[in-house]
Amino acid sequence: MRPNDFAMEESSRPNNGNGAIYSGTPFTVGCSAQNAPPGYWTGTPTGGIPFRCQMGSNIFFPSGQAPSKTEDPGLQWALNAANFTLLAANSLGIGNTPPSLFYAPGVFNLDFSLAKQTKIKEKYTLELRVETFNTLNNFNPNNPNTSLNYNYVTGAQTNASFGVIQGAQVQARHAAISLRLRF
């Protein structure tokens, strides 16, 4: 046995990071009607103008007021569904809701990795790697549900999840640890 057979030599590999920061895309409230009379405008009429709701002036609930006391206020946009109404049958489906009423929530995400290599013998190298995804555990919500579905006969809005954010664009923080022996 030579004296250097058990000597350990350490070396570091570059550490890596990856980040994404961007703003949300424009979107709007969409309307549809059930039990509408024949000829009622839904979808996209001729000319490429999409069917739009009629919008009032109070699109959000007042500050501090949630749509429902049972909903988690962190996962709900305070959109006032009562502010939007269906159009009259002779309106040609052109309401005053703009095509880009809101901007969707953006994304802020950072991923990092750290690695350490240790040379055990001349031909053996041990590598320890730690990788984290969504390192800061930032909640990046999806777009809220902005689809209004009205019963034309009763006038009732039937989409119970209107204004609710139903998921995240990036999953919660998680980490992976790996140990690799190269020979």
Side-chain angles (χ1 to χ4, degrees):
M1 217 186 231
R2 296 183 306 217
N4 289 339
D5 279 349
F6 292 102
M8 296 177 115
E9 186 179 314
E10 294 184 1
S11 67
S12 294
R13 292 181 60 189
N15 300 317
N16 297 310
N18 183 20
I21 301 172
Y22 58 89
S23 64
T25 56
F27 70 104
T28 192
V29 172
C31 287
S32 63
Q34 299 170 336
N35 304 321
Y40 189 74
W41 292 97
T42 59
T44 305
T46 307
I49 301 170
F51 177 79
R52 295 193 186 138
C53 298
Q54 190 64 25
M55 178 179 80
S57 60
N58 299 319
I59 59 174
F60 295 106
F61 281 104
S63 179
Q65 182 181 347
S68 168
K69 295 189 188 284
T70 61
E71 295 290 338
D72 179 358
L75 295 177
Q76 182 135 9
W77 275 32
L79 294 175
N80 185 0
N83 181 67
F84 300 93
T85 58
L86 280 178
L87 300 163
N90 62 356
S91 68
L92 302 178
I94 303 171
N96 66 349
T97 303
S100 55
L101 183 60
F102 308 106
Y103 280 91
V107 168
F108 178 77
N109 182 47
L110 294 174
D111 301 333
F112 289 107
S113 71
L114 298 171
K116 180 74 171 176
Q117 288 186 0
T118 303
K119 194 165 192 152
I120 298 174
K121 284 190 171 187
E122 189 174 315
K123 294 183 179 182
Y124 296 99
T125 303
L126 185 67
E127 180 184 49
L128 174 65
R129 177 177 291 276
V130 177
E131 297 175 318
T132 60
F133 304 93
N134 195 3
T135 305
L136 302 177
N137 204 26
N138 192 44
F139 177 61
N140 296 295
N142 279 334
N143 293 352
N145 183 322
T146 56
S147 297
L148 290 170
N149 190 6
Y150 289 98
N151 184 324
Y152 188 84
V153 176
T154 65
Q157 198 282 112
T158 60
N159 182 2
S161 61
F162 176 74
V164 176
I165 296 172
Q166 298 174 326
Q169 297 179 51
V170 179
Q171 69 181 38
R173 172 180 39 216
H174 67 280
I177 299 174
S178 64
L179 189 62
R180 184 186 337 187
L181 178 62
R182 289 193 228 149
F183 52 93

